PDB file of all heavy atoms in Angstrom:
ATOM      1  N   ALA Q  65      42.070-131.747 -82.575  1.00 95.00           N
ATOM      2  CA  ALA Q  65      42.756-130.599 -82.654  1.00 95.00           C
ATOM      3  C   ALA Q  65      42.466-129.850 -83.908  1.00 95.00           C
ATOM      4  O   ALA Q  65      43.038-128.721 -84.005  1.00 95.00           O
ATOM      5  CB  ALA Q  65      44.196-130.716 -82.342  1.00 95.00           C
ATOM      6  N   GLY Q  66      41.823-130.451 -84.845  1.00 95.00           N
ATOM      7  CA  GLY Q  66      41.480-129.726 -86.099  1.00 95.00           C
ATOM      8  C   GLY Q  66      42.340-130.257 -87.247  1.00 95.00           C
ATOM      9  O   GLY Q  66      42.256-129.657 -88.404  1.00 95.00           O
ATOM     10  N   MET Q  67      43.273-131.069 -86.998  1.00 96.00           N
ATOM     11  CA  MET Q  67      44.127-131.655 -88.125  1.00 96.00           C
ATOM     12  C   MET Q  67      43.417-132.651 -89.036  1.00 96.00           C
ATOM     13  O   MET Q  67      42.476-133.260 -88.543  1.00 96.00           O
ATOM     14  CB  MET Q  67      45.371-132.278 -87.538  1.00 96.00           C
ATOM     15  CG  MET Q  67      46.250-131.340 -86.809  1.00 96.00           C
ATOM     16  SD  MET Q  67      47.856-132.198 -86.323  1.00 96.00           S
ATOM     17  CE  MET Q  67      48.505-130.849 -85.249  1.00 96.00           C
ATOM     18  N   ASP Q  68      43.762-132.824 -90.270  1.00 97.00           N
ATOM     19  CA  ASP Q  68      43.134-133.650 -91.190  1.00 97.00           C
ATOM     20  C   ASP Q  68      43.782-135.060 -90.805  1.00 97.00           C
ATOM     21  O   ASP Q  68      44.821-135.432 -90.746  1.00 97.00           O
ATOM     22  CB  ASP Q  68      43.713-133.358 -92.568  1.00 97.00           C
ATOM     23  CG  ASP Q  68      43.029-134.264 -93.654  1.00 97.00           C
ATOM     24  OD1 ASP Q  68      41.987-134.817 -93.365  1.00 97.00           O
ATOM     25  OD2 ASP Q  68      43.719-134.370 -94.716  1.00 97.00           O
ATOM     26  N   THR Q  69      42.699-135.984 -90.431  1.00 96.00           N
ATOM     27  CA  THR Q  69      43.051-137.303 -90.037  1.00 96.00           C
ATOM     28  C   THR Q  69      43.732-138.120 -91.015  1.00 96.00           C
ATOM     29  O   THR Q  69      44.625-138.975 -90.599  1.00 96.00           O
ATOM     30  CB  THR Q  69      41.767-137.976 -89.449  1.00 96.00           C
ATOM     31  OG1 THR Q  69      40.752-138.124 -90.502  1.00 96.00           O
ATOM     32  CG2 THR Q  69      41.231-137.255 -88.303  1.00 96.00           C
ATOM     33  N   THR Q  70      43.401-137.950 -92.305  1.00 97.00           N
ATOM     34  CA  THR Q  70      43.979-138.749 -93.285  1.00 97.00           C
ATOM     35  C   THR Q  70      45.524-138.427 -93.496  1.00 97.00           C
ATOM     36  O   THR Q  70      46.307-139.210 -93.501  1.00 97.00           O
ATOM     37  CB  THR Q  70      43.391-138.551 -94.701  1.00 97.00           C
ATOM     38  OG1 THR Q  70      41.992-138.914 -94.611  1.00 97.00           O
ATOM     39  CG2 THR Q  70      43.922-139.516 -95.783  1.00 97.00           C
ATOM     40  N   ALA Q  71      45.739-137.066 -93.382  1.00 97.00           N
ATOM     41  CA  ALA Q  71      47.112-136.594 -93.428  1.00 97.00           C
ATOM     42  C   ALA Q  71      48.021-137.006 -92.218  1.00 97.00           C
ATOM     43  O   ALA Q  71      49.116-137.465 -92.364  1.00 97.00           O
ATOM     44  CB  ALA Q  71      47.119-135.021 -93.548  1.00 97.00           C
ATOM     45  N   VAL Q  72      47.296-137.083 -91.024  1.00 96.00           N
ATOM     46  CA  VAL Q  72      48.062-137.460 -89.898  1.00 96.00           C
ATOM     47  C   VAL Q  72      48.400-138.971 -89.913  1.00 96.00           C
ATOM     48  O   VAL Q  72      49.392-139.478 -89.605  1.00 96.00           O
ATOM     49  CB  VAL Q  72      47.231-137.134 -88.542  1.00 96.00           C
ATOM     50  CG1 VAL Q  72      47.790-137.662 -87.369  1.00 96.00           C
ATOM     51  CG2 VAL Q  72      47.159-135.673 -88.434  1.00 96.00           C
ATOM     52  N   LEU Q  73      47.391-139.731 -90.520  1.00 96.00           N
ATOM     53  CA  LEU Q  73      47.604-141.222 -90.609  1.00 96.00           C
ATOM     54  C   LEU Q  73      48.834-141.452 -91.556  1.00 96.00           C
ATOM     55  O   LEU Q  73      49.646-142.273 -91.315  1.00 96.00           O
ATOM     56  CB  LEU Q  73      46.326-141.849 -91.228  1.00 96.00           C
ATOM     57  CG  LEU Q  73      46.431-143.236 -91.508  1.00 96.00           C
ATOM     58  CD1 LEU Q  73      46.777-144.154 -90.260  1.00 96.00           C
ATOM     59  CD2 LEU Q  73      45.148-143.893 -92.220  1.00 96.00           C
ATOM     60  N   LEU Q  74      48.871-140.694 -92.653  1.00 96.00           N
ATOM     61  CA  LEU Q  74      49.881-140.871 -93.626  1.00 96.00           C
ATOM     62  C   LEU Q  74      51.278-140.540 -93.169  1.00 96.00           C
ATOM     63  O   LEU Q  74      52.147-141.224 -93.276  1.00 96.00           O
ATOM     64  CB  LEU Q  74      49.601-140.153 -94.967  1.00 96.00           C
ATOM     65  CG  LEU Q  74      50.628-140.371 -96.045  1.00 96.00           C
ATOM     66  CD1 LEU Q  74      50.511-141.803 -96.513  1.00 96.00           C
ATOM     67  CD2 LEU Q  74      50.264-139.404 -97.211  1.00 96.00           C
ATOM     68  N   ALA Q  75      51.230-139.350 -92.367  1.00 95.00           N
ATOM     69  CA  ALA Q  75      52.544-138.884 -91.734  1.00 95.00           C
ATOM     70  C   ALA Q  75      52.996-139.917 -90.700  1.00 95.00           C
ATOM     71  O   ALA Q  75      54.192-140.124 -90.543  1.00 95.00           O
ATOM     72  CB  ALA Q  75      52.298-137.545 -91.243  1.00 95.00           C
ATOM     73  N   THR Q  76      52.080-140.422 -89.929  1.00 94.00           N
ATOM     74  CA  THR Q  76      52.438-141.366 -88.895  1.00 94.00           C
ATOM     75  C   THR Q  76      53.033-142.702 -89.509  1.00 94.00           C
ATOM     76  O   THR Q  76      54.040-143.177 -89.058  1.00 94.00           O
ATOM     77  CB  THR Q  76      51.166-141.735 -88.017  1.00 94.00           C
ATOM     78  OG1 THR Q  76      50.782-140.553 -87.413  1.00 94.00           O
ATOM     79  CG2 THR Q  76      51.593-142.637 -86.991  1.00 94.00           C
ATOM     80  N   CYS Q  77      52.539-143.075 -90.582  1.00 94.00           N
ATOM     81  CA  CYS Q  77      52.882-144.267 -91.298  1.00 94.00           C
ATOM     82  C   CYS Q  77      54.360-144.069 -91.851  1.00 94.00           C
ATOM     83  O   CYS Q  77      55.224-144.970 -91.714  1.00 94.00           O
ATOM     84  CB  CYS Q  77      51.993-144.809 -92.325  1.00 94.00           C
ATOM     85  SG  CYS Q  77      50.480-145.432 -91.850  1.00 94.00           S
ATOM     86  N   ILE Q  78      54.485-142.997 -92.545  1.00 96.00           N
ATOM     87  CA  ILE Q  78      55.855-142.650 -93.181  1.00 96.00           C
ATOM     88  C   ILE Q  78      56.927-142.451 -92.023  1.00 96.00           C
ATOM     89  O   ILE Q  78      58.061-143.007 -92.207  1.00 96.00           O
ATOM     90  CB  ILE Q  78      55.745-141.359 -94.017  1.00 96.00           C
ATOM     91  CG1 ILE Q  78      54.855-141.785 -95.291  1.00 96.00           C
ATOM     92  CG2 ILE Q  78      57.053-140.958 -94.474  1.00 96.00           C
ATOM     93  CD1 ILE Q  78      54.437-140.674 -96.165  1.00 96.00           C
ATOM     94  N   ALA Q  79      56.628-141.751 -91.041  1.00 94.00           N
ATOM     95  CA  ALA Q  79      57.531-141.542 -89.953  1.00 94.00           C
ATOM     96  C   ALA Q  79      57.847-142.751 -89.194  1.00 94.00           C
ATOM     97  O   ALA Q  79      59.115-142.943 -88.935  1.00 94.00           O
ATOM     98  CB  ALA Q  79      57.051-140.364 -88.923  1.00 94.00           C
ATOM     99  N   SER Q  80      56.967-143.701 -89.013  1.00 93.00           N
ATOM    100  CA  SER Q  80      57.271-144.899 -88.376  1.00 93.00           C
ATOM    101  C   SER Q  80      58.091-145.746 -89.352  1.00 93.00           C
ATOM    102  O   SER Q  80      59.073-146.437 -88.808  1.00 93.00           O
ATOM    103  CB  SER Q  80      55.930-145.603 -88.041  1.00 93.00           C
ATOM    104  OG  SER Q  80      55.180-144.927 -87.178  1.00 93.00           O
ATOM    105  N   PHE Q  81      57.823-145.757 -90.534  1.00 95.00           N
ATOM    106  CA  PHE Q  81      58.693-146.532 -91.538  1.00 95.00           C
ATOM    107  C   PHE Q  81      60.110-146.019 -91.481  1.00 95.00           C
ATOM    108  O   PHE Q  81      60.978-146.946 -91.351  1.00 95.00           O
ATOM    109  CB  PHE Q  81      58.113-146.667 -92.761  1.00 95.00           C
ATOM    110  CG  PHE Q  81      58.927-147.281 -93.831  1.00 95.00           C
ATOM    111  CD1 PHE Q  81      59.049-148.595 -93.839  1.00 95.00           C
ATOM    112  CD2 PHE Q  81      59.711-146.459 -94.716  1.00 95.00           C
ATOM    113  CE1 PHE Q  81      59.990-149.134 -94.886  1.00 95.00           C
ATOM    114  CE2 PHE Q  81      60.674-146.997 -95.618  1.00 95.00           C
ATOM    115  CZ  PHE Q  81      60.725-148.422 -95.684  1.00 95.00           C
ATOM    116  N   ILE Q  82      60.170-144.675 -91.622  1.00 96.00           N
ATOM    117  CA  ILE Q  82      61.550-144.172 -91.704  1.00 96.00           C
ATOM    118  C   ILE Q  82      62.309-144.400 -90.356  1.00 96.00           C
ATOM    119  O   ILE Q  82      63.560-144.865 -90.427  1.00 96.00           O
ATOM    120  CB  ILE Q  82      61.564-142.773 -91.955  1.00 96.00           C
ATOM    121  CG1 ILE Q  82      61.083-142.423 -93.517  1.00 96.00           C
ATOM    122  CG2 ILE Q  82      62.951-142.070 -91.804  1.00 96.00           C
ATOM    123  CD1 ILE Q  82      60.778-141.063 -93.698  1.00 96.00           C
ATOM    124  N   GLY Q  83      61.794-144.262 -89.289  1.00 94.00           N
ATOM    125  CA  GLY Q  83      62.419-144.473 -87.915  1.00 94.00           C
ATOM    126  C   GLY Q  83      62.776-145.941 -87.668  1.00 94.00           C
ATOM    127  O   GLY Q  83      63.954-146.239 -87.313  1.00 94.00           O
ATOM    128  N   THR Q  84      61.995-146.886 -88.164  1.00 94.00           N
ATOM    129  CA  THR Q  84      62.135-148.278 -88.042  1.00 94.00           C
ATOM    130  C   THR Q  84      63.287-148.760 -88.971  1.00 94.00           C
ATOM    131  O   THR Q  84      64.174-149.574 -88.592  1.00 94.00           O
ATOM    132  CB  THR Q  84      60.892-149.179 -88.264  1.00 94.00           C
ATOM    133  OG1 THR Q  84      59.997-148.689 -87.281  1.00 94.00           O
ATOM    134  CG2 THR Q  84      61.131-150.615 -88.111  1.00 94.00           C
ATOM    135  N   ALA Q  85      63.241-148.140 -90.127  1.00 95.00           N
ATOM    136  CA  ALA Q  85      64.216-148.470 -91.225  1.00 95.00           C
ATOM    137  C   ALA Q  85      65.623-147.923 -90.725  1.00 95.00           C
ATOM    138  O   ALA Q  85      66.618-148.766 -90.886  1.00 95.00           O
ATOM    139  CB  ALA Q  85      63.926-147.941 -92.503  1.00 95.00           C
ATOM    140  N   CYS Q  86      65.693-146.792 -90.185  1.00 95.00           N
ATOM    141  CA  CYS Q  86      66.958-146.240 -89.686  1.00 95.00           C
ATOM    142  C   CYS Q  86      67.480-147.094 -88.489  1.00 95.00           C
ATOM    143  O   CYS Q  86      68.634-147.415 -88.423  1.00 95.00           O
ATOM    144  CB  CYS Q  86      66.874-144.826 -89.272  1.00 95.00           C
ATOM    145  SG  CYS Q  86      66.662-143.656 -90.654  1.00 95.00           S
ATOM    146  N   MET Q  87      66.616-147.530 -87.659  1.00 95.00           N
ATOM    147  CA  MET Q  87      67.018-148.286 -86.431  1.00 95.00           C
ATOM    148  C   MET Q  87      67.615-149.736 -86.967  1.00 95.00           C
ATOM    149  O   MET Q  87      68.501-150.144 -86.463  1.00 95.00           O
ATOM    150  CB  MET Q  87      65.759-148.508 -85.596  1.00 95.00           C
ATOM    151  CG  MET Q  87      66.232-149.297 -84.356  1.00 95.00           C
ATOM    152  SD  MET Q  87      67.514-148.575 -83.201  1.00 95.00           S
ATOM    153  CE  MET Q  87      66.433-147.609 -82.289  1.00 95.00           C
ATOM    154  N   ALA Q  88      66.976-150.244 -88.026  1.00 95.00           N
ATOM    155  CA  ALA Q  88      67.377-151.531 -88.482  1.00 95.00           C
ATOM    156  C   ALA Q  88      68.654-151.490 -89.269  1.00 95.00           C
ATOM    157  O   ALA Q  88      69.573-152.268 -89.038  1.00 95.00           O
ATOM    158  CB  ALA Q  88      66.348-152.133 -89.371  1.00 95.00           C
ATOM    159  N   LEU Q  89      68.725-150.470 -90.101  1.00 95.00           N
ATOM    160  CA  LEU Q  89      69.906-150.453 -90.910  1.00 95.00           C
ATOM    161  C   LEU Q  89      71.198-149.794 -90.382  1.00 95.00           C
ATOM    162  O   LEU Q  89      72.293-150.203 -90.663  1.00 95.00           O
ATOM    163  CB  LEU Q  89      69.486-149.717 -92.389  1.00 95.00           C
ATOM    164  CG  LEU Q  89      68.371-150.426 -93.126  1.00 95.00           C
ATOM    165  CD1 LEU Q  89      67.994-149.581 -94.305  1.00 95.00           C
ATOM    166  CD2 LEU Q  89      68.788-151.849 -93.548  1.00 95.00           C
ATOM    167  N   MET Q  90      71.079-148.701 -89.622  1.00 96.00           N
ATOM    168  CA  MET Q  90      72.019-147.971 -89.126  1.00 96.00           C
ATOM    169  C   MET Q  90      72.522-148.534 -87.703  1.00 96.00           C
ATOM    170  O   MET Q  90      73.770-148.612 -87.534  1.00 96.00           O
ATOM    171  CB  MET Q  90      71.782-146.564 -88.911  1.00 96.00           C
ATOM    172  CG  MET Q  90      71.462-145.748 -90.122  1.00 96.00           C
ATOM    173  SD  MET Q  90      71.235-144.086 -89.881  1.00 96.00           S
ATOM    174  CE  MET Q  90      70.683-143.547 -91.489  1.00 96.00           C
ATOM    175  N   ALA Q  91      71.680-148.981 -86.876  1.00 95.00           N
ATOM    176  CA  ALA Q  91      72.033-149.362 -85.509  1.00 95.00           C
ATOM    177  C   ALA Q  91      72.060-151.041 -85.471  1.00 95.00           C
ATOM    178  O   ALA Q  91      72.380-151.472 -84.487  1.00 95.00           O
ATOM    179  CB  ALA Q  91      71.039-148.909 -84.531  1.00 95.00           C
ATOM    180  N   ASN Q  92      71.363-151.560 -86.443  1.00 93.00           N
ATOM    181  CA  ASN Q  92      71.280-153.021 -86.532  1.00 93.00           C
ATOM    182  C   ASN Q  92      70.583-153.597 -85.230  1.00 93.00           C
ATOM    183  O   ASN Q  92      71.028-154.570 -84.538  1.00 93.00           O
ATOM    184  CB  ASN Q  92      72.743-153.666 -86.648  1.00 93.00           C
ATOM    185  CG  ASN Q  92      72.601-155.141 -87.035  1.00 93.00           C
ATOM    186  OD1 ASN Q  92      71.697-155.542 -87.540  1.00 93.00           O
ATOM    187  ND2 ASN Q  92      73.607-155.883 -86.763  1.00 93.00           N
ATOM    188  N   MET Q  93      69.590-152.896 -84.825  1.00 92.00           N
ATOM    189  CA  MET Q  93      68.808-153.284 -83.602  1.00 92.00           C
ATOM    190  C   MET Q  93      67.378-153.741 -84.109  1.00 92.00           C
ATOM    191  O   MET Q  93      66.814-152.880 -84.878  1.00 92.00           O
ATOM    192  CB  MET Q  93      68.657-152.202 -82.566  1.00 92.00           C
ATOM    193  CG  MET Q  93      69.982-151.566 -82.179  1.00 92.00           C
ATOM    194  SD  MET Q  93      70.805-152.872 -81.092  1.00 92.00           S
ATOM    195  CE  MET Q  93      69.764-152.711 -79.666  1.00 92.00           C
ATOM    196  N   PRO Q  94      66.737-154.662 -83.566  1.00 90.00           N
ATOM    197  CA  PRO Q  94      65.377-155.003 -84.075  1.00 90.00           C
ATOM    198  C   PRO Q  94      64.173-154.339 -83.238  1.00 90.00           C
ATOM    199  O   PRO Q  94      63.293-155.082 -82.655  1.00 90.00           O
ATOM    200  CB  PRO Q  94      65.393-156.531 -83.709  1.00 90.00           C
ATOM    201  CG  PRO Q  94      66.275-156.637 -82.556  1.00 90.00           C
ATOM    202  CD  PRO Q  94      67.268-155.578 -82.696  1.00 90.00           C
ATOM    203  N   PHE Q  95      64.300-152.978 -83.273  1.00 91.00           N
ATOM    204  CA  PHE Q  95      63.205-152.259 -82.592  1.00 91.00           C
ATOM    205  C   PHE Q  95      62.443-151.424 -83.644  1.00 91.00           C
ATOM    206  O   PHE Q  95      62.995-150.846 -84.540  1.00 91.00           O
ATOM    207  CB  PHE Q  95      63.834-151.296 -81.624  1.00 91.00           C
ATOM    208  CG  PHE Q  95      64.614-151.925 -80.502  1.00 91.00           C
ATOM    209  CD1 PHE Q  95      65.981-151.542 -80.283  1.00 91.00           C
ATOM    210  CD2 PHE Q  95      64.073-152.907 -79.766  1.00 91.00           C
ATOM    211  CE1 PHE Q  95      66.682-152.151 -79.187  1.00 91.00           C
ATOM    212  CE2 PHE Q  95      64.838-153.550 -78.786  1.00 91.00           C
ATOM    213  CZ  PHE Q  95      66.081-153.169 -78.447  1.00 91.00           C
ATOM    214  N   ALA Q  96      61.114-151.389 -83.451  1.00 91.00           N
ATOM    215  CA  ALA Q  96      60.201-150.569 -84.207  1.00 91.00           C
ATOM    216  C   ALA Q  96      59.997-149.319 -83.472  1.00 91.00           C
ATOM    217  O   ALA Q  96      59.812-149.268 -82.205  1.00 91.00           O
ATOM    218  CB  ALA Q  96      58.905-151.380 -84.398  1.00 91.00           C
ATOM    219  N   LEU Q  97      60.036-148.222 -84.262  1.00 91.00           N
ATOM    220  CA  LEU Q  97      59.841-146.791 -83.656  1.00 91.00           C
ATOM    221  C   LEU Q  97      58.506-146.292 -84.185  1.00 91.00           C
ATOM    222  O   LEU Q  97      58.195-146.424 -85.349  1.00 91.00           O
ATOM    223  CB  LEU Q  97      61.041-145.975 -83.984  1.00 91.00           C
ATOM    224  CG  LEU Q  97      62.325-146.440 -83.458  1.00 91.00           C
ATOM    225  CD1 LEU Q  97      63.422-145.523 -83.994  1.00 91.00           C
ATOM    226  CD2 LEU Q  97      62.340-146.441 -82.011  1.00 91.00           C
ATOM    227  N   SER Q  98      57.847-145.492 -83.406  1.00 90.00           N
ATOM    228  CA  SER Q  98      56.486-144.779 -83.869  1.00 90.00           C
ATOM    229  C   SER Q  98      56.400-143.557 -83.085  1.00 90.00           C
ATOM    230  O   SER Q  98      57.211-143.270 -82.227  1.00 90.00           O
ATOM    231  CB  SER Q  98      55.391-145.792 -83.773  1.00 90.00           C
ATOM    232  OG  SER Q  98      54.338-145.235 -84.425  1.00 90.00           O
ATOM    233  N   ALA Q  99      55.249-142.956 -83.243  1.00 89.00           N
ATOM    234  CA  ALA Q  99      54.927-141.716 -82.436  1.00 89.00           C
ATOM    235  C   ALA Q  99      54.632-141.930 -81.138  1.00 89.00           C
ATOM    236  O   ALA Q  99      54.245-142.941 -80.737  1.00 89.00           O
ATOM    237  CB  ALA Q  99      53.732-141.073 -83.159  1.00 89.00           C
ATOM    238  N   GLY Q 100      54.933-140.933 -80.240  1.00 87.00           N
ATOM    239  CA  GLY Q 100      54.634-141.065 -78.869  1.00 87.00           C
ATOM    240  C   GLY Q 100      53.312-140.375 -78.537  1.00 87.00           C
ATOM    241  O   GLY Q 100      53.030-139.280 -79.080  1.00 87.00           O
ATOM    242  N   MET Q 101      52.557-141.097 -77.757  1.00 89.00           N
ATOM    243  CA  MET Q 101      51.051-140.587 -77.561  1.00 89.00           C
ATOM    244  C   MET Q 101      50.992-139.460 -76.561  1.00 89.00           C
ATOM    245  O   MET Q 101      50.078-138.602 -76.515  1.00 89.00           O
ATOM    246  CB  MET Q 101      50.199-141.766 -77.028  1.00 89.00           C
ATOM    247  CG  MET Q 101      49.947-142.878 -78.113  1.00 89.00           C
ATOM    248  SD  MET Q 101      48.916-142.312 -79.389  1.00 89.00           S
ATOM    249  CE  MET Q 101      50.023-141.843 -80.589  1.00 89.00           C
ATOM    250  N   GLY Q 102      51.884-139.323 -75.605  1.00 92.00           N
ATOM    251  CA  GLY Q 102      51.909-138.290 -74.624  1.00 92.00           C
ATOM    252  C   GLY Q 102      51.949-136.935 -75.088  1.00 92.00           C
ATOM    253  O   GLY Q 102      51.112-136.059 -74.751  1.00 92.00           O
TER     254      GLY Q 102
END
Side-chain angles (χ1 to χ4, degrees):
M67 295 183 183
D68 181 22
T69 56
T70 305
V72 172
L73 174 65
L74 186 61
T76 303
C77 291
I78 292 171
S80 298
F81 172 76
I82 291 172
T84 302
C86 287
M87 181 64 87
L89 299 174
M90 294 179 186
N92 198 23
M93 300 290 288
F95 297 131
L97 302 175
S98 191
M101 295 285 98

